Amino acid sequence: MIIPPACEGWKVVQVSPQQSGRAIDGLRRGGYHVWRPRLTTWITSARLRLRSKVNRALFPSYLFVAPDRPTCAMLQVMEVTKIIGDVPSRMVHDLARREAEGEFDGTAAPPERERIPVGTPVVITGGPFTGFEGIISKSDQDRDQVLMEMCGRLTKVDVDAGHVSVSRKAAVTLA
């Protein structure tokens, strides 16, 4: 992680897709201070089913630049497509502090959640089935399997664990 220098007059520039690295090199050669906030996440190879930890840009195709030279010279870097505008220095330094504290690290183990018992009526609170009701048929740390009625048939649907809550009807009957 690179901490941005204590500069004033930060600007946001848009760069060509997939060209952030080249734009950073070009801007630095031109004498500019450049910063790109990063987030750490897991990716899974669809073909090999391998998980890898990767660093990605928090704002793809955008960079923070503190010009020591005239702003118009930034556009001479081929990969820079547009100067979006000014950004308060405190915002850049707040983002840098949050990145340094690990706020953008999505690889940490999620907190242990209380699993919903099998057979419990639930409501789906996120994703494409938001608002649908069903019954938990299987539950693990990351996903819940909800049995719900769709088109006159019972169907099992996998839902992210954070997108399921106990139905109010169930809370009354379970209490």
Side-chain angles (χ1 to χ4, degrees):
M1 174 188 59
I2 299 172
I3 307 240
C7 299
E8 294 297 322
W10 286 91
K11 301 206 177 290
V12 174
V13 298
Q14 184 177 21
V15 298
S16 301
Q18 308 294 320
Q19 297 297 316
S20 295
R22 287 180 148 184
I24 289 170
D25 292 342
L27 288 165
R28 286 186 178 151
R29 276 194 308 272
Y32 296 100
H33 297 289
V34 183
W35 182 61
R36 172 178 48 181
R38 310 290 286 173
L39 94 102
T40 306
T41 188
W42 291 104
I43 61 167
T44 304
S45 163
R47 189 170 56 92
L48 300 175
R49 301 272 188 223
L50 297 175
R51 281 184 75 181
S52 303
K53 190 187 240 189
V54 296
N55 285 317
R56 292 193 169 163
L58 185 61
F59 306 111
S61 297
Y62 295 94
L63 301 172
F64 293 95
V65 181
D68 287 341
R69 300 170 182 255
T71 305
C72 59
M74 282 191 274
L75 292 173
Q76 292 176 351
V77 175
M78 189 181 325
E79 293 80 14
V80 174
T81 58
K82 186 187 325 183
I83 298 171
I84 302 296
D86 296 331
V87 176
S89 295
R90 62 181 154 63
M91 185 183 114
V92 172
H93 295 292
D94 182 52
L95 278 171
R97 178 191 53 79
R98 291 169 56 197
E99 180 182 14
E101 291 173 354
E103 190 172 325
F104 306 137
D105 185 356
T107 61
E112 194 68 28
R113 75 171 183 106
E114 188 174 321
R115 292 193 180 132
I116 301 172
V118 172
T120 303
V122 294
V123 175
I124 299 173
T125 58
F129 298 104
T130 301
F132 282 78
E133 294 184 4
I135 297 173
I136 293 288
S137 63
K138 184 178 173 185
S139 180
D140 63 27
Q141 181 62 29
D142 300 325
R143 304 196 56 79
D144 289 318
Q145 191 173 66
V146 179
L147 185 63
M148 51 193 238
E149 186 176 336
M150 289 178 55
C151 302
R153 307 176 34 181
L154 290 178
T155 305
K156 291 181 183 178
V157 176
D158 287 328
V159 181
D160 287 339
H163 293 180
V164 175
S165 65
V166 175
S167 172
R168 289 182 189 240
K169 296 174 194 172
V172 173
T173 57
L174 295 174

